[in-house]
């Protein structure tokens, strides 16, 4: 048996925390400063964490290896299983030509990339986050933005940034539900408190998104609709989480926001449009597409301008429009059906396995078994499996031959090969740090700062998501510690626990595995460092904002907002 210790380095919690943060700093420096490939940075980060676990924390080599294996497997399933199948659905639309038709359908709403970024990445991405999560919203919304003509790097940046707003209530409230499970606090109270913090983030996200697409001109010309989208989304999050149900918070917010934006566009139009790309080309900024024969449907031809030439395209009909958006309608329908309680419980009963990961026998400093050594394999209703089913239904709708389906799946795996290495390595690093006690040492050092804890509590959640790539995992890891520290220094435990989730979402856009998902989704593998440099400033600025909000909520200034 291995028992975690919080202060193994010289008997000092501070030095132990400094040592624990080295693998993370090394990985981000290699990505953002030296611009190394993500898989190389992740492998070196894993090596440093491995040595720290074995030498510094005294974790047995065999258990350290086993922890690495568990993390790598978790990276493969469910995370990579989600990404591969999301990209599989996308590739099916490309090989048949329906991807280009989808672009024409999207552009029929508006050609303005700034408005499309709000409708697709912010609103539709939030709906996907509420149903799926784990990278699927980023991959799918980025593909849809590219279909509308947005350049790959901008599509990845805006999709990653937009994904911050819904994450705290994503996957049918999974992060807050996990937080309630580890803290023992009422789910309703935690959901309500998170719903009084996340709107401060949501209100600003669309405004920053249009800046990312079109700079100051974008903010000057589209700020009314951006503010409407952010305020409506944040308000819907507040109302739903406080007075309706935590699980449907993002579903309601996404649908209400789409309706508000479309209603506003009927009475107001931005004074300018962005239909080209404002970004400078990035290295390797191309999209690998499989040539296809085009949408398999008849009909008369019309001519549309693409650049300086006229291109013959089939006349747009209701049937063609439905077929163009069929993959995404299918995803929504499949995921919605699985949320029906009887179906959800039935699939869980026959398709869920929980077992102790081989080779691990770990207890925390208090002697309680560490939950992370228990692995839950939920394969039938897993997000990746549902995306795979959606892909097969899409293939049937598009009348794709079985051989072509198999080839599309194989090509997807080949395209993502380095992303697969990166994600598995990063999750191996996260599990080594978590199971050895390195993450706990880092978190406890921040929690031992007394009165400053209200300022550092959001940082703990941010670090947790940046390491694990998941708000649910961060809440499971740090939730109980947040409430214990809050009680120790006389702060409201519900406030601090909710802050872990609300602030944690801002670390997701920087987590190496999500950066890998972003660049893989737009066909730019190896550009994770560029994404990191584009997003880190915004992540830290938004973290500073939510930190101020949480601190004021711990004082009489905004204390009236605390549940």
């Amino acid at each position: 048996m291995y028992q975690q210790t919080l202060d193994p380095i010289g008997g000092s919690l501070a030095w132990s925390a400094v040592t624990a943060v080295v693998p993370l700093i090394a990985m981000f420096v290699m990505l953002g400063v030296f611009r190394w490939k993500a898989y190389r940075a992740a492998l070196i980060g894993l090596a440093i964490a491995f040595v720290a676990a074995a030498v510094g924390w005294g974790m047995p080599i065999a258990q350290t290896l086993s922890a690495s294996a568990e993390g790598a497997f978790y990276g493969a399933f469910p995370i990579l299983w989600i990404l591969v199948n999301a990209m599989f659905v996308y590739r099916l639309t490309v090989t048949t030509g329906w991807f280009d038709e989808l672009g024409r359908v999207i552009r029929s709403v508006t050609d303005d990339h700034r408005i499309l970024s709000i409708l697709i990445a912010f609103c539709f991405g939030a709906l996907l986050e509420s149903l799926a999560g784990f990278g699927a919203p980023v991959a799918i919304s980025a593909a849809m933005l590219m279909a509308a003509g947005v350049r790959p790097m901008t599509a990845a940046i805006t999709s990653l940034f937009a994904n911050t707003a819904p994450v705290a209530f994503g996957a049918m409230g999974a992060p807050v539900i996990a937080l309630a499970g580890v803290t023992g606090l009422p789910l309703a109270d935690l959901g309500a408190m998170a719903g009084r913090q996340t709107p401060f983030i949501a209100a600003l996200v669309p405004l920053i998104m249009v800046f990312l697409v079109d700079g100051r001109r974008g903010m000057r010309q589209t700020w009314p609709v951006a503010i409407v989208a952010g305020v409506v989304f944040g308000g819907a999050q507040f109302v739903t989480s406080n007075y309706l149900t935590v699980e449907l918070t993002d579903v309601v917010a996404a649908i209400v926001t789409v309706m508000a934006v479309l209603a506003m566009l009927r009475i107001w139009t931005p004074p300018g449009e962005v239909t080209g790309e404002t970004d400078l080309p990035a290295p390797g900024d191309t999209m690998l597409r499989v040539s296809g024969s085009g949408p398999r449907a008849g009909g008369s031809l019309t001519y549309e301008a693409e650049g300086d030439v006229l291109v013959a395209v089939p006349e747009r009909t209701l049937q063609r429009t439905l077929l163009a958006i069929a993959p995404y309608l299918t995803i929504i329908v499949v995921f919605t059906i699985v949320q029906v309680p009887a179906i959800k419980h039935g699939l869980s009963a026959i398709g869920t396995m929980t077992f102790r990961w081989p080779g691990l026998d770990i207890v925390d400093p208090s002697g309680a078994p560490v939950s992370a050594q228990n692995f839950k394999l939920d394969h039938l209703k897993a997000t990746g499996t549902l995306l795979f089913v959606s892909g097969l239904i899409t293939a049937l709708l598009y009348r794709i031959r079985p051989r072509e389906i198999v080839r599309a799946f194989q090509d997807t795996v080949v395209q993502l090969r380095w992303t697969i290495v990166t994600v598995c390595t990063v999750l191996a690093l996260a599990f080594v740090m978590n199971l050895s006690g390195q993450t706990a040492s880092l978190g406890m050092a921040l929690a031992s700062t007394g009165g400053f804890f209200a300022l550092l509590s959001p940082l703990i959640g941010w670090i947790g998501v940046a390491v694990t790539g998941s708000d649910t995992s961060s809440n499971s890891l740090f939730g109980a510690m947040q409430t214990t520290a809050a009680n120790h220094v006389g702060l409201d435990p519900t406030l601090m626990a909710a802050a872990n989730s609300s602030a944690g979402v801002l670390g997701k856009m920087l987590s190496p595995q999500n950066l890998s998902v972003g660049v893989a989704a737009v066909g730019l593998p190896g550009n994770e460092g560029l994404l990191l440099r584009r997003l880190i400033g915004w992540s830290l600025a938004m973290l500073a904002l939510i930190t101020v909000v949480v601190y004021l909520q711990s004082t009489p200034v905004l204390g009236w907002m605390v549940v």
Side-chain angles (χ1 to χ4, degrees), residues 127-208:
L127 183 60
L128 288 174
E129 179 68 34
S130 69
L131 298 172
F134 289 103
V138 173
I140 293 172
S141 61
M144 294 182 70
L145 284 174
M146 287 196 302
V150 178
R151 287 178 65 85
M153 185 54 67
T154 299
I157 291 172
T158 53
S159 296
L160 280 166
F161 189 80
N163 193 229
T164 58
V167 165
F169 296 101
M172 305 305 291
V176 183
I177 293 172
L179 190 61
V182 298
T183 62
L185 296 172
L187 174 61
D189 290 350
L190 288 171
M193 191 65 246
R196 301 178 190 193
Q197 295 170 340
T198 55
F200 289 96
I201 298 173
L204 292 177
V205 167
L207 195 62
I208 296 174

Side-chain angles (χ1 to χ4, degrees), residues 414-452:
V414 171
Q415 178 187 348
L416 296 176
R417 60 190 182 280
W418 293 116
T419 301
I420 292 171
V421 174
T422 301
V423 172
C424 288
T425 304
V426 169
L427 266 297
L429 178 151
F431 270 66
V432 168
M433 290 187 64
N434 295 345
L435 290 171
S436 66
Q438 294 177 66
T439 307
S441 296
L442 178 59
M444 190 56 68
L446 295 173
S448 63
T449 55
F452 289 102

Side-chain angles (χ1 to χ4, degrees), residues 156-423:
I157 291 172
T158 53
S159 296
L160 280 166
F161 189 80
N163 193 229
T164 58
V167 165
F169 296 101
M172 305 305 291
V176 183
I177 293 172
L179 190 61
V182 298
T183 62
L185 296 172
L187 174 61
D189 290 350
L190 288 171
M193 191 65 246
R196 301 178 190 193
Q197 295 170 340
T198 55
F200 289 96
I201 298 173
L204 292 177
V205 167
L207 195 62
I208 296 174
M209 287 174 62
V210 297
F211 178 84
L212 292 172
V213 174
D214 191 35
R216 293 181 181 179
R217 182 183 65 172
M219 294 183 69
R220 185 174 64 253
Q221 294 181 346
T222 62
W223 66 266
V225 70
I227 288 180
V228 165
V231 171
V232 169
F233 190 94
Q237 280 190 321
F238 167 74
V239 171
T240 308
S241 62
N242 277 264
Y243 302 110
L244 299 175
T245 172
V246 170
E247 290 84 351
L248 295 179
T249 296
D250 282 341
V251 175
V252 173
I255 294 174
V256 171
T257 305
V258 168
M259 295 171 61
V261 171
L262 292 179
M264 184 172 182
L265 291 176
R266 293 181 67 88
I267 60 175
W268 175 87
T269 303
E273 280 190 337
V274 174
T275 57
E277 180 53 42
T278 58
D279 274 358
L280 293 175
D285 198 0
T286 58
M287 184 63 211
L288 299 177
R289 297 189 182 183
V290 180
S291 60
S293 57
R296 295 164 182 161
S300 59
L301 296 177
T302 60
Y303 291 87
E304 294 184 2
E306 291 192 4
D308 296 328
V309 298
L310 291 177
V311 179
V313 296
E315 182 181 4
R316 185 173 297 117
T317 63
L318 177 60
Q319 179 187 8
R320 293 184 60 78
T321 299
L322 290 176
L323 282 172
I325 63 176
Y328 308 102
L329 290 177
T330 300
I331 289 171
I332 292 174
V333 170
V334 169
F335 277 90
T336 302
I337 290 174
V338 173
Q339 296 304 325
V340 174
I343 297 175
K344 185 176 183 179
H345 294 153
L347 291 175
S348 296
I350 62 176
T352 301
M353 297 184 296
T354 302
F355 57 92
R356 173 70 67 90
W357 188 264
L360 293 179
D361 186 8
I362 304 172
V363 296
D364 63 21
S366 66
V370 176
S371 60
Q373 60 191 325
N374 295 319
F375 197 93
K376 184 178 181 180
L377 190 61
D378 200 2
H379 52 283
L380 286 186
K381 67 180 182 68
T383 300
T385 303
L386 299 182
L387 285 171
F388 181 70
V389 172
S390 301
L392 295 181
I393 295 174
T394 299
L396 290 175
L397 292 173
Y398 289 167
R399 301 177 182 178
I400 304 175
R401 294 187 294 270
R403 181 179 298 177
E404 293 175 339
I405 297 173
V406 173
R407 184 183 301 115
F409 194 88
Q410 290 175 337
D411 291 344
T412 301
V413 174
V414 171
Q415 178 187 348
L416 296 176
R417 60 190 182 280
W418 293 116
T419 301
I420 292 171
V421 174
T422 301
V423 172

Side-chain angles (χ1 to χ4, degrees), residues 90-154:
Y90 161 71
R91 186 172 285 272
L92 290 176
T93 66
V94 170
T95 59
T96 56
W98 284 105
F99 183 79
D100 294 325
E101 181 68 16
L102 173 65
R104 285 187 279 270
V105 171
I106 293 173
R107 289 191 295 271
S108 69
V109 178
T110 175
D111 277 334
D112 197 325
H113 290 179
R114 303 165 301 184
I115 305 302
L116 288 174
S117 70
I118 295 174
L119 287 172
I120 296 173
F122 186 68
C123 299
F124 185 66
L127 183 60
L128 288 174
E129 179 68 34
S130 69
L131 298 172
F134 289 103
V138 173
I140 293 172
S141 61
M144 294 182 70
L145 284 174
M146 287 196 302
V150 178
R151 287 178 65 85
M153 185 54 67
T154 299

